[in-house]
Each structure stands twice: as structure tokens, then as C-alpha cells.
Amino acid sequence: MLARSARPFAFDLLKTDTRTAARAGVLHTPHGDVPTPVYMPVGTQATVKTLTPDELVAAGASLILANTYHLSLRPGAERIAHFGGLHRFMGWERPILTDSGGFQVFSLGHLRSVTDDGVTFRSHIDGSTHVFTPARVIALQEAIGADIIMPLDECLPYGVDEAGAAVSLERTHRWVERCRAAQTRRDQALFGIVQGGMLARLRRASATWLAGLDLTGYAIGGLSIGESKDEMHALLEEVTALLPARKPRYLMGVGAPEDLFACVARGVDMFDVVLPTRLARNGALITAAGRLNIRNARCADSLDPIEHGCRCYTCARFSLGYLHHLFRAEELLAYRLATLHNVTFMLDLMGRIRASILDGTFEEMRARFLEGYRPTDAAAREEQRSRWLEAQARKASCR
Amino acid sequence: MLARSARPFAFDLLKTDTRTAARAGVLHTPHGDVPTPVYMPVGTQATVKTLTPDELVAAGASLILANTYHLSLRPGAERIAHFGGLHRFMGWERPILTDSGGFQVFSLGHLRSVTDDGVTFRSHIDGSTHVFTPARVIALQEAIGADIIMPLDECLPYGVDEAGAAVSLERTHRWVERCRAAQTRRDQALFGIVQGGMLARLRRASATWLAGLDLTGYAIGGLSIGESKDEMHALLEEVTALLPARKPRYLMGVGAPEDLFACVARGVDMFDVVLPTRLARNGALITAAGRLNIRNARCADSLDPIEHGCRCYTCARFSLGYLHHLFRAEELLAYRLATLHNVTFMLDLMGRIRASILDGTFEEMRARFLEGYRPTDAAAREEQRSRWLEAQARKASCR
């Protein structure tokens, strides 16, 4: 229900950990409250793939992400407005955050040109040409109607030099000002996006400058794009040190369980990441011990659930052996059951992280979890990422 | 729950319509009761595609079908036995009927040879060679553990002459005797399958001879394979006139809503058909007015549900416009929501048919439904069927 409050957004910082920079809070929005830190399942095309809104609620999701790039192309932002906005259209009445579309435009490979006015690109669906300006992405997001919206920003690939990163940062800063000026709705919160490539100096400048705009919240963009974890953590620390404590911090596109701990510890409150849902559809199940590949022959005769003690419907009702069979048979039910497990796992994990911050045991909780959890190594991760990017490029070139 | 009854199977014929041959009854099985007439959703590979057992229960399903051919190849009948049988393996604790696999062997195009001993074929999965004898299909079905099982039968294509059909019928009759002799479990009901091609004389002979075996129930196979509706109805009438009234009649592989009425009226109690679930995955939604193609541009801006008054989750929560978007975007949720609607529609329809038989208003109910319902015409049906068969052949030749 839309809260008829004069102040539709507020962030209550309930606790800051004494031994790390971790925080626990509540972000109040017109469509409800979001306990933080929070993991946002990704619902790119107005659906968190395979799941119904009821399942997301049962799994404990309080906030989901949707993509303005995709939705503006199909079904179209005005069409979504015709349906009463994205919440009504997709049947999810809790908070929604929309990405501005900048990342997709820059990363999906159909970028035609970038000027200070905006970006021109070709649709991955039908090749038609479109222009995203700061005003346009705000208009699109106002039609879509998410609670939290993002400005158009320039997303650089890994390895851009300082000069290029500085020019890009200026542009991104001009764009957020134009985005804010373009807003007409009073019930949507525009976050700023800290950029600056891999240069600490630029990151500090961006964080400082954006903090001065007194926006509702602050995202950190352009990380986890190929740099090492150490590099990412160092830049993150530079940024969070300069962002206002009383505003939420949103690290875009991160991360796996080990990344959640590392970044929560560095003061991040909000995360979106496709990994849990994408892994699920590929038969990789997240457990407290690490990833489990359901197609592994070891699973074929196992009567065990994915994880004892997991409260999800999949673990309550089905064996590894049955899931193994569904995946080998390429049955649609497989993708749904796996997704439900992975999303529930991530939401539960974040819930336990939050509880540990509130009761002062975050460091112990983190140590206990990481002791039992075997992360997928960097080489394997990079290999999988390359294969996925290649598959995307092949798909795109087939249209 | 397994009924600890000395007589695990019984068929209560509650009512026979006075104006047609329609009947309403209850088939009692070890895993529960099946109100008849009944539509059985098809769960070929131990899953009714996209749906969980809970959704099937909520939709009102009381009996589902699974395929011995597919399950014997993957995951394997012995493996299913390791999991405690198919009910436990797939989490469906209500009645199950398994087809013997004969139809798939004869229709999936990998048949190597047919002799009086059985059939030799190559797996569509990996090309390995397998033999189905009457004893083998019973052993497989005993390991799988369905409540109702079927004998190995020879399934003829349309157009076989009388001599060929007569030889085949003899073989099918010898096989059902050998199947019955091979049974060791006391909690599974073996049905006979009436064959005889398109020859009324052979059909009558088959029905009469099988009736003499005093089996628990009787299926009618080898119909709806290319003959006209009139031809099918005529043969059906010949057969049901000779089958014992107090045993259930199961018409295999039928049918669309209009076919359900026509065949219930001719004394059929049980139906399995992939059409509702397959149509759903292809965006064709069944409504009281006929089929609705969700991809039609008309649906893109519709705030209406698929059907007002439909009690399924899809109609309760989502608009045609959203479903249209999901299908255009090839989102996995689309297939699930569409399947849930079509299966619920068919189950509700059959429930209303049964109620009308019980209260003596079947003819009126049928007239009312058919007045508003526009069947897909025969030409369109045949076209779709050809396209699907071609797609199957292409897939098979790619392995």
C-alpha cells in the first residue's frame, strides 16, 4: 500500500558494528520497508525469472530490481504506465528499484555514440535506434513507477586511463544533476552513482561531490568488472568513508556470498546480483558449503535435499536425485526449484548477517560461515563469465 | 496414504446418464480416489511440465500419467525404485497411471523390430538399444510403482489394412495375457487396451475378448491418430457397447474440450492428453470461448485476466497484457502461468461435466458449453500437429 506520508523515504540506521563498518537499518519506501543490509533479486524484464511474486514474498524478498533498458524496449514504459505501473503490472506490491539502463547500453555492445547529451544505441531486440538522455531515463522511470530510481551514468570498461575516467566522471556528474532536475514525481527516490574507474582519487572526488547533492541514497557503480577483489575492496573503502553514514549505500552488481560479507563489512547496505538466479538455471546450487553442481553424477541417487535445514520449498519436498533428473531431462520445473532454493539461501544469509550486526556478533558469524564455505575460485569464475559473455554476444549477433 | 485394504481397487459407478452413455463414478486406488470422468494431466518425465505437485493438487488433479518409456531410459526404473517409487520421487502422493511405453516406441520413430516376443528400439536420448517384452514392461512398471499400469500393445499407424490389423491384434492380445502373468505386485491394476485399427469388426472382437479377461479397467488405444472425428466416435461406440459397464473406460490420448464432451457422452470415464499443457507452453490459452493466442497483439494492452471467473492463480493475479509480455520476452514464468491456467480449466470443466451427469443435466450443460466454445478447426489442428511432428523429427535426428 502506498504510504500516504509527507516523507515517503527515510533510512533508519539502527546499528553500526563496533568492529567493522557494517550497519543494520531499515529503508522506508512508499511500497513498504526494506531491512538492510539487503539482497535484491533481479527481475530484469518485470519478472524474477521463474518465480511468482508470492514465492518471492515467501522467500523473504523485500526489494527487487528491474531494468529500465529492457522494460523501455519491451513492453515499453508507457505501456507499463497504462497498467498502473510496474508494481501492478507484475503483481509485486513491495518496493522496486530500477536501474537507469546505462549499464546495459554500455555493456550490451550496441552502443552507437556517447556525447554530453546522452547515449545513442541500437535495441538488442530489433536493432531500432534509441537515445537515452538524463531527462529521458527519468521520464521512463517515472512511467515505470519504481520506488528507487537511478540516474543515467557512464559505465567504463576495466582499464580506462585516468584522463578518460576523469572526463567520464564529469559527464556522469552533469547527468545526475540533469536527472534530478527532470524529476516530477515526489514519491520516487533518486540515488547518486559513484563512479571514477579504478582511480582512488577520482572515486573520492565522486563520493564527495555526490554527497554534497544530498540525495536519498548512494550507489557505487563500475566495480566488479574485472578488477581483483583486493582492488575492489580498497576502492570501496575509499568511497564509503566519504559517503554520509545516514544514507544507504548500494553496491551495484555484487555479489557471491563471500562478497556480501566483505562488502557489508565495508559499509554497504544494498546489493543486486544476478548470480544466484543465473547459477540456479544452470544447475549450480548455493549451499553453506559452497556451490553444488546438480548435474554431477554424485547427485543422481541422493535422497538428501540440497541442504538440510533449508526452509525453501525445494529442500522441504524434493531430493537431489529428483532435481538431478529434472536438470538432465531439461524439464522446466528444474529451473524454478533451483531458483527458489538459491534466492531463499541468499535472503536467509542476508537475514542472518543483519541479525548478527544487530546483536554485535557479525565478525563471529562471518568467520563461522566462511570457515565452512568454499568459494568458487577466481579462475573458474572468470572462465564462466567469459563463456557467458560469449554466449550473449552470439545471441546478439543472431538478431 | 496407502489404503490397507484387501481390495485396493474398486470402481463405484454412481450414475449413468439416462439420455447419453455418460457415467459418473469414483475409482478407488491405493493412493486415493479418482472421481470420474477424469482428465489426467500428463507428467511424462516424472513432472507435469512447469508445475509442482502442490499446484496440481490446488488445481484439483486427482490422477496423473507418467511414461514408462521415458522413465525407463531416464532416470531408470530401478533408480526410481531406489527412491521409493515414482510417488515419492516426484512428490505426488495421489494416484498415478503409467503408460507401458508401447506408444512411444512405435511413434518416436526408433523402432528396430517387432516380433511376437516384443519390440526392439533405440533410445531417443543416446541411441542405445533396448527391448520391451510384456514381462519387461511389467517389471519396469512394478519398479516405478504407479497405481494403474498398462500392458505392452502394438500401436498401428493410420491406414493399416484389415489383415495387418488382425495379426497385430492377436499379438496385442497375447501380450496382455503375458503381462498379467508377469505381475507380482498385488497393489497395481493392469488395464487392457482395446485395439483393432479402424475396423469395427476387429474393435468389437478386441473389446469382447478383453472383457472376458476380467481386468480392472479398459483402455481404448489407437484412436485419434488421423481418422475423422466421425470415424473415431463410431468406433468408440462399438467398443463401449461391449465393455462391461461396471469397469472404467480410459480413452488414451484424447482430447480437446469438444472431444471430452463427445467421448464422455459415449461412455468414457478417463482421459489423458498433452494438449492443454503443450498448448500452454506455446501461448495458446484455453477459455470457454475457445483458444486464445496470448501473443496476439490484441492482448498487449489488456488489463483483463485470461478468463473472468477462472479460479486459477494466473487469472486471479495477472493480466493478459503481462502474460503477453512474458511470452514475447520468452520468460520462464510464462510457461508456468499458462500451464496452470489450462490445467485448471480442463479440471474445472471435467468437474462440471461430472456434476452435470450426477444431477441429470449433462445434455444441457454440454449444449451450453459448446454454444459458446469455438473449437480450433480441423485444418488448423492438422497443420499444428504436422509442425510439431516435424520439430520432433528434427530434434531426434540431431541426437
Side-chain angles (χ1 to χ4, degrees), chain A residues 354-373:
Chain A
R354 184 176 189 268
S356 76
I357 297 168
L358 286 170
D359 70 17
T361 59
F362 173 68
E363 290 257 59
E364 288 77 17
M365 189 258 163
R366 166 164 69 163
R368 228 170 27 243
F369 181 85
L370 294 176
E371 185 183 10
Y373 183 82

Side-chain angles (χ1 to χ4, degrees), chain B residues 122-167:
Chain B
R122 295 184 61 201
S123 158
H124 70 289
I125 297 176
D126 63 5
S128 54
T129 299
H130 301 263
V131 179
F132 274 7
T133 61
R136 176 83 179 131
V137 303
I138 293 300
L140 290 169
Q141 291 180 91
E142 292 201 333
I144 290 166
D147 301 273
I148 301 167
I149 64 176
M150 308 300 294
L152 183 66
D153 62 332
E154 183 163 12
C155 307
L156 299 174
Y158 183 67
V160 172
D161 67 12
E162 177 154 5
V167 168

Side-chain angles (χ1 to χ4, degrees), chain A residues 112-385:
Chain A
R112 302 301 303 282
S113 68
V114 186
T115 69
D116 286 343
D117 290 336
V119 296
T120 305
F121 63 95
R122 294 185 60 201
S123 158
H124 70 290
I125 297 176
D126 64 6
S128 54
T129 299
H130 301 263
V131 179
F132 273 6
T133 62
R136 176 82 180 130
V137 304
I138 291 300
L140 290 170
Q141 290 180 92
E142 292 199 335
I144 291 167
D147 302 88
I148 301 168
I149 64 174
M150 308 301 294
L152 183 65
D153 62 333
E154 183 163 10
C155 307
L156 299 176
Y158 183 68
V160 171
D161 66 10
E162 178 154 4
V167 168
S168 172
L169 190 62
E170 260 305 294
R171 175 174 287 154
T172 287
H173 287 174
R174 299 287 79 74
W175 284 354
V176 68
E177 288 180 307
R178 285 162 56 188
C179 281
R180 184 156 72 166
Q183 280 188 283
T184 68
R185 287 179 70 154
R186 301 177 64 88
D187 59 349
Q188 293 182 305
L190 178 69
F191 276 28
I193 304 179
V194 176
Q195 292 285 359
M198 299 299 151
L199 290 312
R201 179 181 77 77
L202 293 179
R203 286 281 173 180
R204 288 192 298 265
S206 183
T208 304
W209 187 82
L210 285 169
L213 293 190
D214 198 30
L215 293 159
T216 309
Y218 293 95
I220 301 113
L223 290 181
S224 196
I225 59 167
E227 78 280 11
S228 72
K229 295 280 169 124
D230 287 345
E231 201 173 354
M232 197 257 274
H233 295 158
L235 289 166
L236 187 55
E237 286 167 19
E238 297 267 11
V239 168
T240 52
L242 294 168
L243 290 173
R246 55 191 171 70
K247 303 278 180 75
R249 295 87 173 269
Y250 163 29
L251 180 57
M252 307 184 83
V254 172
E258 63 272 27
D259 300 320
L260 295 190
F261 281 101
C263 300
V264 163
R266 289 169 171 82
V268 175
D269 307 299
M270 300 164 64
F271 299 84
D272 83 279
V273 60
V274 294
L275 189 70
T277 40
R278 185 172 295 158
L279 282 180
R281 297 193 302 281
N282 285 287
L285 305 166
I286 308 175
T287 77
R291 281 189 213 170
L292 168 62
N293 183 351
I294 193 65
R295 288 195 179 88
N296 192 299
R298 267 195 330 251
C299 295
D301 289 302
S302 173
L303 283 85
D304 288 330
I306 299 166
E307 184 140 70
H308 287 283
C310 177
R311 64 178 176 87
C312 84
Y313 176 77
T314 304
C315 287
R317 296 292 306 276
F318 304 104
S319 62
L320 280 173
Y322 181 62
L323 296 168
H324 173 91
H325 162 66
L326 291 181
F327 269 94
R328 297 295 288 271
E330 297 180 340
E331 280 286 346
L332 291 172
L333 183 60
Y335 313 123
R336 169 183 170 186
L337 294 181
T339 299
L340 193 54
H341 169 78
N342 279 7
V343 167
T344 304
F345 180 92
M346 294 288 287
L347 290 167
D348 273 3
L349 179 63
M350 198 58 107
R352 297 203 311 275
I353 286 173
R354 184 176 189 268
S356 76
I357 297 168
L358 286 170
D359 70 17
T361 59
F362 173 68
E363 290 257 59
E364 288 77 17
M365 189 258 163
R366 166 164 69 163
R368 228 170 27 243
F369 181 85
L370 294 176
E371 185 183 10
Y373 183 82
R374 185 170 158 278
T376 304
D377 69 53
R381 257 199 316 268
E382 196 41 53
E383 153 95 38
Q384 286 161 24
R385 188 186 164 80

